[in-house]
Amino acid sequence: MKKFLKISGIVLAVIILTVFLFMLWTYFRIQRGDLVKWDNEWYTKEELKEKFPPQHIDVPAKNTPEDVYAKFRQALLDDDIEEALEQIREESRDGYMEVFIDNDKFNNWVKSLPEEIIKEREKGNYAYYDVDYGTEYKNTATFIKDENGYWQIDSI
């Protein structure tokens, strides 16, 4: 029985020492910045960059949000849905495809699109424009510049 207690004590001490050393190693990784807590989850720097790529990409613009909007609007007026969808960020296209299916809502929306949009502000890769539908409400179009320097519609 004494031998069992001795072995159990040694095993318990090894487990406690291992847990302590692991916590110490994790603490040093956090202090060096190798581990980062984001949204209540721990990530390595590489995992964080992969899951949340940098939002600011400093590349010269190859088009303007005004050009993208004009091309988008003209494609809708010409009933060229594919061309219109190309002006929208790929991540946002599915939602717009659903809107384009309902012909009545689609036609009313296309007719209400103004010819020009008014720039509110631009910061880094984001640009915000006022879209005047002729209502009392404020409507904003958001544009995002991709890593190649092309502006695309994020929401309108």
Side-chain angles (χ1 to χ4, degrees):
M1 185 70 168
K2 276 187 169 187
K3 191 174 186 178
F4 175 74
L5 288 176
K6 235 184 208 184
I7 292 174
S8 297
I10 291 172
V11 168
L12 184 61
V14 168
I15 290 173
I16 290 172
L17 182 63
T18 304
V19 168
F20 174 76
L21 290 175
F22 176 76
M23 291 175 64
L24 188 64
W25 176 69
T26 303
Y27 172 78
F28 285 125
R29 288 184 68 197
I30 292 169
Q31 293 302 312
R32 284 193 317 246
D34 293 339
L35 284 178
V36 179
K37 190 171 187 177
W38 183 265
D39 207 21
N40 289 328
E41 290 192 38
W42 289 98
Y43 298 98
T44 63
K45 287 181 181 180
E46 295 79 24
E47 291 171 336
L48 195 62
K49 282 183 183 177
E50 184 179 313
K51 190 164 184 170
F52 306 103
Q55 297 298 311
H56 180 74
I57 305 165
D58 195 19
V59 295
K62 296 180 180 169
N63 61 356
T64 66
E66 291 90 348
D67 294 338
V68 172
Y69 174 77
K71 200 172 188 181
F72 173 75
R73 183 178 178 275
Q74 191 57 51
L76 291 178
L77 290 172
D78 295 341
D79 206 26
D80 187 356
I81 302 301
E82 291 302 317
E83 178 70 22
L85 287 172
E86 285 180 17
Q87 308 311 308
I88 299 172
R89 286 184 63 216
E90 191 171 335
E91 295 85 354
S92 303
R93 288 181 188 162
D94 290 340
Y96 286 92
M97 286 172 45
E98 291 175 17
V99 172
F100 294 166
I101 291 173
D102 187 344
N103 283 334
D104 291 335
K105 287 182 183 179
F106 173 74
N107 289 332
N108 289 335
W109 182 62
V110 170
K111 289 176 187 172
S112 69
L113 285 173
E115 262 188 63
E116 295 189 18
I117 53 178
I118 301 163
K119 185 175 187 175
E120 289 183 352
R121 70 184 189 281
E122 182 179 323
K123 184 170 181 164
N125 298 332
Y126 296 90
Y128 304 93
Y129 284 75
D130 182 41
V131 181
D132 185 10
Y133 289 115
T135 64
E136 61 187 80
Y137 303 106
K138 181 173 175 57
N139 299 287
T140 303
T142 307
F143 295 83
I144 296 180
K145 184 171 51 168
D146 67 13
E147 64 275 354
N148 297 319
Y150 290 101
W151 288 98
Q152 292 182 310
I153 297 171
D154 184 49
S155 66
I156 190 165

